[in-house]
Amino acid sequence: MDTLIGLVGPKFVIIASDTTNARSVLRFKSNADKVMELDSHKLLGFGGDTGDYLHFCEYVQRNVALSELRTGIKMSTNAAAHFTRGELAKSLRRNPYMVNILFGGYDVNVGPSLFFIDYLGNMQKMNIAAHGYGSYFTLGLLDRYWKSDLTEEEAIEIIRLCLRELQVRFLLSVPNFSVKIVDENGIRNINLGMNA
């Protein structure tokens, strides 16, 4: 039931996620943060089975940090996304993780990038992306309003439109969202002021 939404602007990436932790007909938590900060310029938005995404995403976070400690060089967003995809693909034959990921980051010489990774280890670099049932409602809006020279304010308004559409049209109640942006200055939370 998780919903992940991401989009790229000329100098930033935004990833939004619902904050509900549920299974079957039970809601366990309404304030789960499903957008993890891997380092100062990388975000990992995730959804899927709770145990799987917690274990896998913490594993990725620790290994990205370990790589920096071993080499003294911070992994690029592209390298970290490929590492994540590779680990998901390797686990398919042993103990598969039911985890869908939006991986976003900002690199100094490259700029912003967003990667769509599914539980089968498929990965694609995207300008707009969404996972979960919410993607049925939001991909059309993202496709219609996204443009290459998007300002940060316009991008936040597109995210607000998507979340409003989910609150109006989606059968399940998705009252709260976590929205984070990463740019050259690092990661910050955005309060859209629309939580129910």
Side-chain angles (χ1 to χ4, degrees), residues 156 160 163-164 167 175 177 179 190-196:
I156 291 169
R160 190 177 277 120
L163 301 183
R164 197 172 296 124
Q167 289 176 332
F177 298 92
V179 183
I190 297 175
N191 184 359
L192 298 179
M194 50 184 296
N195 293 342

Side-chain angles (χ1 to χ4, degrees), residues 84-148:
T84 303
R85 188 218 73 81
E87 292 302 309
L88 266 179
K90 272 194 252 178
S91 73
L92 276 176
R93 289 175 181 43
R94 290 175 289 152
N95 185 19
Y97 292 104
M98 290 298 298
V99 181
N100 293 309
I101 294 172
L102 291 183
F103 198 112
Y106 185 91
D107 297 308
V108 175
N109 296 326
V110 179
S113 50
L114 176 68
F115 294 89
F116 176 97
I117 307 171
D118 71 7
Y119 71 100
L120 294 172
N122 297 311
M123 182 175 83
Q124 185 64 43
K125 187 174 181 182
M126 309 284 284
N127 291 320
I128 57 169
H131 272 298
Y133 286 121
S135 66
Y136 297 123
F137 303 98
T138 59
L139 281 172
L141 289 169
L142 291 169
D143 187 50
R144 179 175 182 180
Y145 293 111
W146 183 86
K147 56 187 180 181
S148 58

